[in-house]
Amino acid sequence: MSRRDDVMKYFDEQKAENDAAVKDGIEKYRKGDCTLVFESDSALPEDISVEIEQTGHEFKFGANIFMLDEFDTEEQNALYRESFAELFNLATLPFYWNSVEPREGEYRFDKSSSKMYRRPAIDLCLDYCAEHGIEPKCHCLNYDAFTPDWVKDLSVPEIKAKLERRFEVIAARYADVIPSYEVTNETLMSSHKSAFFMEDDFLEWSYLASDKYFPNNRLIINDYNVWDPTSHNRNYYYMQIERLLRNGITHLDTIGMQFHCFFPQEAEPLHARQKFNPRRLRELLDLFSRFGRSLQITEMTIPARDTNSENEEIQAELTENLYKVLFSYPAMDAIIYWNLVDGYGFMPDGGAPGDMTKGENVYYGALMRFDMTKKPVYHALKRLIREEWHTSLTTKAVDGKATFRGFYGDYNIKIYADGKTVERNISLSKGGTRDIKIKI
């Protein structure tokens, strides 16, 4: 069998079933009907034409923004900025403790902060997000593997005190401008630095402290070991979340699920049974939906393996099919790809940008090549997000009303009547009003 046959086996076998489920799910859960009700101080014109153009999605499509202004040239930085905003409406910001506060009390928040690879200053990221209408997200509050060296050897009570101070400082500065906070990350993995990680209350304490300082924000749990073959209630991640809820953690809004495919090519047929299998994906999502929380794909990497054009096309086809399954699932509210550009991934043992033999780089899993040209997967996602999952139409009002069905999100409305043009911006929301009054 070819590599394409290996990774697409279950999509091919379940094509008719999956196509129907995707179509039905998108129609039910990502679109809604809206009626524009026109009003006037005098008689309404008989002939009212309406142009309806979607300008943004309610669903979140994102990536990490760790390479913002981190490249060697201004041309590269400008291309990164342009390419990110062309696709995404959500950005994952690097709040790793060891890079935000490398020395106690010295915070790298301000735009003038010293440079650190893959760790742009938070305020720089926020300015970019505000400029482009992108929602920022904190990653993350208590990720023990990135505990600063000045903390790691402290006692557990001392670590808790330092963490609580960290939460307090971040909340005071950002709680009003960043809606969502990943609280814990990868706690099912063995990598850790501090003694606190092995304490029984590591999870519960983290969420109670987060609730104290972020009572009005969305709190997210995030982990990597999600997609094991167990789609019943003995799944490790499921049991972890179940324990939190049983132990009185009520402020847990979203279940984050990483989708990194960090495994060798020879293991793809085995992993495809679970991760590239529409039926199995939905079974596992059904399991976690039992908690009544929203779901997010928080970190996704789909390997191309190299720069071979055939492998890049396989990456694009597989990613597109996965996005369709995930976008059509009712509880899902975000899909966040990980790296935008190949060669600039996390390398735990160090290495220079462009070294494709280390860390995340070995998978060639980004959406753009190291030379910053766009791969087929980038174009595939752009076509889905900006074209296929996009509403644009022209209609006529009947009896002072114009009804349309569109994807949930923001819209620009242009009304033409009596030789005049009236322009309005509206939102069609999953939980919002469906009758919108517009005075002309």
Side-chain angles (χ1 to χ4, degrees):
M1 293 178 69
S2 68
R3 180 179 177 233
R4 190 263 170 209
D5 291 337
D6 285 340
V7 301
M8 295 300 298
K9 171 182 169 63
Y10 299 98
F11 280 104
D12 290 343
E13 291 178 352
Q14 301 168 31
K15 180 171 173 46
E17 171 191 337
N18 183 54
D19 286 352
V22 166
K23 182 179 179 181
D24 182 65
I26 290 175
E27 196 63 31
K28 280 184 179 178
Y29 308 120
R30 301 297 163 221
K31 298 173 76 175
D33 296 316
C34 180
T35 299
L36 306 175
V37 181
F38 300 113
E39 298 178 333
S40 175
D41 290 335
S42 55
L44 281 172
E46 292 185 7
D47 185 17
I48 302 175
S49 296
V50 188
E51 286 183 7
I52 298 163
E53 188 69 34
Q54 187 175 4
T55 57
H57 265 283
E58 185 171 84
F59 192 93
K60 299 304 178 186
F61 299 99
N64 79 55
I65 199 165
F66 297 171
M67 286 303 295
L68 182 69
D69 291 353
E70 289 287 311
F71 296 93
D72 292 334
T73 71
E74 286 308 308
E75 182 183 10
Q76 289 174 301
N77 287 327
L79 184 56
Y80 182 88
R81 284 171 163 264
E82 176 187 322
S83 301
F84 195 101
E86 191 174 40
L87 275 188
F88 302 125
N89 61 2
L90 184 141
T92 296
L93 276 56
F95 272 86
Y96 301 104
W97 195 1
N98 64 351
S99 60
V100 163
E101 192 183 3
R103 288 168 294 280
E104 186 171 9
E106 297 180 18
Y107 298 99
R108 292 182 61 256
F109 292 142
D110 190 83
K111 288 183 291 185
S112 62
S113 300
S114 59
K115 285 280 189 179
M116 187 179 292
Y117 178 61
R118 281 175 56 85
R119 302 293 184 259
I122 300 302
D123 288 355
L124 175 70
C125 298
L126 288 175
D127 283 355
Y128 172 81
C129 288
E131 180 184 353
H132 294 281
I134 293 170
E135 181 177 310
K137 184 176 89 161
C138 165
H139 172 80
C140 48
L141 292 173
N142 190 13
Y143 183 15
D144 195 84
F146 287 87
T147 297
D149 288 340
W150 58 268
V151 173
K152 66 183 180 67
D153 295 326
L154 298 178
S155 68
V156 171
E158 289 173 320
I159 293 170
K160 286 181 176 179
K162 302 298 184 186
L163 270 171
E164 186 156 0
R165 174 59 179 164
R166 164 175 159 82
F167 291 9
E168 182 182 24
V169 168
I170 292 173
R173 190 173 181 113
Y174 297 117
D176 291 339
V177 292
I178 299 178
S180 299
Y181 293 78
E182 290 177 4
V183 177
T184 56
N185 184 59
E186 297 178 357
T187 60
L188 294 174
M189 303 176 76
S190 58
S191 175
H192 65 280
K193 273 194 171 183
S194 78
F196 181 30
F197 184 81
M198 301 306 295
E199 293 293 300
D200 288 347
D201 68 339
F202 180 86
L203 284 162
E204 285 81 358
W205 184 93
S206 298
Y207 287 89
L208 288 171
S210 297
D211 178 60
K212 177 180 177 181
Y213 292 104
F214 302 91
N216 301 313
N217 298 92
R218 174 189 283 188
L219 299 185
I220 304 170
I221 188 170
N222 190 39
D223 221 291
Y224 179 72
N225 293 326
V226 178
W227 311 96
D228 67 37
T230 310
S231 58
H232 50 69
N233 65 3
R234 289 183 294 280
N235 173 290
Y236 294 141
Y237 193 31
Y238 182 93
M239 290 192 291
Q240 182 186 81
I241 297 166
E242 186 177 49
R243 190 192 85 183
L244 279 171
L245 300 180
R246 284 178 175 173
N247 286 349
I249 301 304
T250 57
H251 190 180
L252 175 55
D253 304 292
T254 300
I255 298 169
M257 313 170 89
Q258 296 184 23
F259 205 100
H260 293 302
C261 296
F262 293 154
F263 45 79
Q265 183 172 332
E266 56 266 27
E268 285 181 338
L270 175 64
H271 285 273
R273 277 188 228 164
Q274 181 69 11
K275 297 184 86 166
F276 309 153
N277 181 335
R279 202 174 293 150
R280 294 288 288 128
L281 285 174
R282 291 190 181 93
E283 286 176 2
L284 198 66
L285 296 175
D286 286 345
L287 173 70
F288 285 92
S289 292
R290 294 181 189 179
F291 293 120
R293 270 66 176 176
S294 64
L295 308 178
Q296 285 187 1
I297 300 300
T298 49
E299 306 176 27
M300 176 180 266
T301 303
I302 306 300
R305 303 292 175 190
D306 53 35
T307 57
N308 177 277
S309 60
E310 182 178 355
N311 276 334
E312 287 188 347
E313 291 292 346
I314 291 169
Q315 180 196 28
E317 183 181 10
L318 179 57
T319 304
E320 178 175 343
N321 277 273
L322 288 167
Y323 265 66
K324 287 179 177 178
V325 172
L326 299 168
F327 182 64
S328 64
Y329 192 79
M332 193 67 60
D333 66 20
I335 306 170
I336 303 163
Y337 209 85
W338 199 231
N339 295 316
L340 181 58
V341 186
D342 274 332
Y344 297 94
F346 174 61
M347 292 177 279
D349 299 321
D355 183 348
M356 305 305 292
T357 68
K358 293 183 178 179
E360 295 172 351
N361 292 346
V362 303
Y363 301 100
Y364 291 80
L367 307 181
M368 299 169 68
R369 304 178 187 93
F370 182 66
D371 66 3
M372 302 197 74
T373 54
K374 293 169 181 174
K375 296 161 71 171
V377 64
Y378 184 100
H379 297 296
L381 293 184
K382 183 180 178 182
R383 178 180 50 78
L384 285 180
I385 297 167
R386 300 298 185 187
E387 297 176 24
E388 187 172 327
W389 298 336
H390 178 85
T391 301
S392 179
L393 59 95
T394 300
T395 187
K396 293 271 192 180
V398 177
D399 296 329
K401 297 179 180 180
T403 298
F404 72 96
R405 185 169 181 80
F407 287 96
Y408 295 124
D410 297 325
Y411 285 84
N412 177 257
I413 307 294
K414 291 181 180 177
I415 305 106
Y416 301 96
D418 278 353
K420 298 179 181 178
T421 302
V422 177
E423 192 168 347
R424 294 287 185 272
N425 293 317
I426 67 165
S427 293
L428 172 59
S429 178
K430 198 171 188 176
T433 180
R434 301 300 176 82
D435 290 340
I436 299 174
K437 295 180 180 180
I438 298 178
K439 191 169 184 178
I440 60 174

